[in-house]
Amino acid sequence: MDPKTTKMPKVAKVKNKAPAEIQITAEQLLREAKERDLEILPPPPKQKISDPEELREYQHRKRKAFEDNIRKNRLVIGNWLKYAQWEESQKQVQRARSIYERALDVDHRNVTLWLKYTEMEMRNRQVNHARNLWDRAVTILPRVSQFWYKYTYMEEMLENVAGARQVFERWMEWQPDEQAWQTYINFELRYKELDRARQIYERFVMVHPDVKHWIKYAKFEENHGFINSARKIFERAVEFFGDEELDERLFIAFAKFEENQKEHDRARVIYKYALDHIPKDRNKELYKAYTIHEKKYGDRSGIEDVIVNKRKYMYEQEVIENPTNYDAWFDYIRLVENDGNVDDIRDTYERAIANVPPSKEKQFWRRYIYLWINYALYEELEVEDIERARQVYKTCLELIPHKIFTFSKIWLMYAQLEVRCKNLKQARKTLGMALGICPRDKLYRGYIDLEIQLREFDRCRILYQKFLEYGPENCVTWIKFAELETLLGDIDRARAIYEIAVGQPRLDMPELLWKSYIDFEVAQSETDKARQLYERLLERTVHVKVWLSYAKFELNAENPDNINTELARRVYERANESLKSAGEKESRVLLLEAWKEFETEINDKEKLEKVLTKMPRRVKKRQKIISEAGIEEGWEEVFDYIFPEDEMVRPNLKLLAAAKNWRKKQVVPDNSETENNDEQDKNTENTQEKDSSNESSVNEES
């Protein structure tokens, strides 16, 4: 193609690119378009026809248009209906009937088509035609209730009662829904045909055996004054549904019927029968109605029974929702036990203990085990069935996972049961098996207490030996063992036990053991041995309480020369020196306070003045707060104690300052000595400044 002959298209150029004065948004365009669609157009002008020829032409044109529409889509029933209605408006009923028949050939199951057809016949008072149409409609579509309703209504309006009843009977053969039966019953009641209505009700409750229909039937009889018939209907309904399909609505209606007839005893019997036979999860409203009835017409015992039953229902709901809610089981069992029915109580206990905790952690079993304990105690004390109680204990012990945890209380209670049954061999066997499977401190103590009560002291010694082999660090066990030997009069054996105990490398409460040992020697009037024990204890610890106890012991000890005061004072002096060397300031304060009280009671002013000179001053200081990461977080105020004895040891700061000034005036021979002396002077100066700053920040307190 030659580029010279090719013509390029012209591009339109915008002459004015300035914005329009009136801006129109897209929203405004849409709104205007919508308003234009919603504009009400004026109706077309009415066409007035005054000439028969013009009328025929108009009818011919309309019929042609309708026929064309039907020919295009004959399945659109709306076109047929419009065509038939137009012919009816033209008083051409025969033509309209023909159109409806043609439409029925197209779709004979269209409900609207049948309704419009019959309504046209009834408007034009063509009763026989309408009756024939209804007959055809209910024959072809018998499950369309609307046809039957309109058919019966037309016959009743025509006062053809027999014909309407005949239509109803044809309808009932198809077993329609309950509203159709109720319509038939109301039809008979309008004409006072009670017997016929009763017969219809009989058929109705058999076709639709629902509780509400039986209740309607009974109320029908009650409203018309047939009380005995109503009662028989209720009784028949109870028999009809049987024990498996009982409904609380039926019994509530039955009881209220008897209540209306002032038959309160009958109503109470009905309520109780229903509560006994209907499951607990389906009688909530029944309990409520029963409670209201008893509050209105019952006595005190009846009201209590209702409340108890209601609480039983509440607990039953709780344990159904959460079977491991053992607190609810306890309350439920306690409520059932008040009734005194052994079978119900046992059944409740069995249901409760069947809910084993799902977890193998002891905390989830603590409440559960008490269900077994209460069960066993109930069988033993209330029912007095020892064999069953023994079986409960055995089953519980088989259930507990002893390798993970155990419950000493169960073993001990089982053994005590055997003791009460005078079966000592079985009791010892049980406790021995417990110690072999899962040894515990509580089991050992319980077994030892049992043997002590039986006065079997040799067995107690053996058990204590086993107990100490199991837990040699348990100080209470050593103390109890020694106390047992003391009670038996074997002092040397008790002392030997104490000696072995204090020689153990590990003890849980050594202070308790030493105190017991010392009290033992004091009780035996062995002052020297008790003093030796204090000395041995002070070799291990310098705790202030030990010193105070030692001083009190020396003060109250029996000495031939009556030197208790001097010995106690000597203990205080030793304690002060020991705590001073250990740096225990607060312990020293406690000791000096006790020493001061001691000297005050002795009333020795000279010694008291000496103690007062040792009393410290409490001062307030500031110190840095250092976190675990070594970061300074600020300052805090703390209390400290300054003892006069410690101040005497500290060097005189003024003397150091004078020595420093003198040193500065001396001639330094060489640089090395100068540097060393300067470093010493610097350290001395820092020490002096630090002490002076501390002294300036100290606030003395009384």
Side-chain angles (χ1 to χ4, degrees), residues 13 260 268 364 445 697 702:
K13 294 182 180 181
N260 294 334
R268 190 174 293 109
F364 298 108
R445 294 193 188 101
S697 63
S702 58

Side-chain angles (χ1 to χ4, degrees), residues 197-341:
R198 187 177 292 112
Q199 293 174 5
I200 298 169
Y201 262 121
E202 288 289 343
R203 295 159 57 190
F204 177 33
V205 296
M206 293 302 169
V207 173
H208 296 283
D210 197 349
V211 171
K212 62 180 181 180
H213 302 150
W214 284 93
I215 296 173
K216 285 183 180 179
Y217 186 14
K219 287 184 177 180
F220 160 77
E221 297 288 354
E222 182 183 4
N223 293 335
H224 289 87
F226 301 102
I227 305 301
N228 293 330
S229 298
R231 184 176 290 116
K232 289 180 180 179
I233 290 170
F234 277 119
E235 293 173 355
R236 285 174 54 198
V238 174
E239 295 176 359
F240 177 81
F241 289 104
D243 294 338
E244 296 180 358
E245 299 293 333
L246 293 179
D247 195 320
E248 62 176 353
R249 295 176 296 172
L250 177 62
F251 289 96
I252 292 173
F254 194 3
K256 288 184 177 180
F257 163 76
E258 297 292 353
E259 183 180 336
N260 294 334
Q261 306 306 320
K262 310 299 181 184
E263 296 287 348
H264 302 301
D265 293 335
R266 285 177 177 267
R268 190 174 293 109
V269 170
I270 292 168
Y271 279 124
K272 290 181 178 180
Y273 176 83
L275 292 174
D276 292 338
H277 290 79
I278 296 178
K280 303 295 184 182
D281 57 341
R282 292 189 295 162
N283 56 8
K284 184 176 181 180
E285 295 297 328
L286 188 65
Y287 269 117
K288 186 177 180 181
Y290 187 25
T291 305
I292 295 173
H293 175 268
E294 289 299 325
K295 287 181 179 179
K296 289 166 61 176
Y297 306 105
D299 53 1
R300 183 182 180 86
S301 60
I303 296 173
E304 290 178 354
D305 291 340
V306 172
I307 294 174
V308 168
N309 291 331
K310 190 173 183 179
R311 289 179 61 191
K312 284 182 181 179
Y313 173 76
M314 181 181 67
Y315 291 137
E316 190 71 31
Q317 293 298 318
E318 290 184 8
V319 298
I320 289 174
E321 293 176 0
N322 186 8
T324 57
N325 186 1
Y326 300 118
D327 291 330
W329 280 112
F330 282 122
D331 296 336
Y332 192 11
I333 291 169
R334 193 179 301 113
L335 188 64
V336 175
E337 285 179 349
N338 293 332
D339 293 343
N341 192 336

Side-chain angles (χ1 to χ4, degrees), residues 386-401:
I386 303 300
E387 187 60 34
R388 194 176 181 92
R390 183 181 291 113
Q391 189 62 37
V392 171
Y393 280 121
K394 289 182 179 180
T395 307
C396 180
L397 291 173
E398 292 174 358
L399 183 65
I400 299 173

Side-chain angles (χ1 to χ4, degrees), residues 675-693:
E675 291 176 0
N676 292 333
N677 292 332
D678 290 340
E679 188 174 357
Q680 292 177 0
D681 294 341
K682 186 177 181 180
N683 293 334
T684 304
E685 185 179 0
N686 291 338
T687 304
Q688 184 178 1
E689 290 176 358
K690 183 177 181 181
D691 291 338
S692 63
S693 65

Side-chain angles (χ1 to χ4, degrees), residues 476-539:
V476 177
T477 307
W478 290 102
I479 295 170
K480 294 290 184 182
F481 193 9
E483 289 177 353
L484 174 64
E485 297 295 348
T486 305
L487 291 174
L488 295 177
D490 198 341
I491 304 303
D492 295 335
R493 193 182 183 93
R495 186 175 289 113
I497 292 170
Y498 275 121
E499 286 295 332
I500 297 173
V502 297
Q504 294 296 319
R506 286 184 56 193
L507 293 171
D508 55 357
M509 292 184 292
E511 67 280 0
L512 188 64
L513 179 62
W514 282 95
K515 183 180 183 303
S516 179
Y517 193 5
I518 293 170
D519 293 342
F520 164 76
E521 295 294 356
V522 172
Q524 303 303 321
S525 301
E526 296 288 347
T527 306
D528 294 336
K529 291 184 177 181
R531 187 176 291 112
Q532 293 174 7
L533 286 176
Y534 270 116
E535 295 294 337
R536 291 168 58 188
L537 179 57
L538 289 172
E539 292 176 0

Side-chain angles (χ1 to χ4, degrees), residues 416-433:
Q416 291 168 3
L417 171 67
E418 297 294 350
V419 171
R420 288 192 292 271
C421 296
K422 300 180 180 180
N423 191 357
L424 299 180
K425 184 178 180 181
Q426 182 63 32
R428 291 191 176 107
K429 182 179 178 181
T430 301
L431 292 175
M433 183 171 61

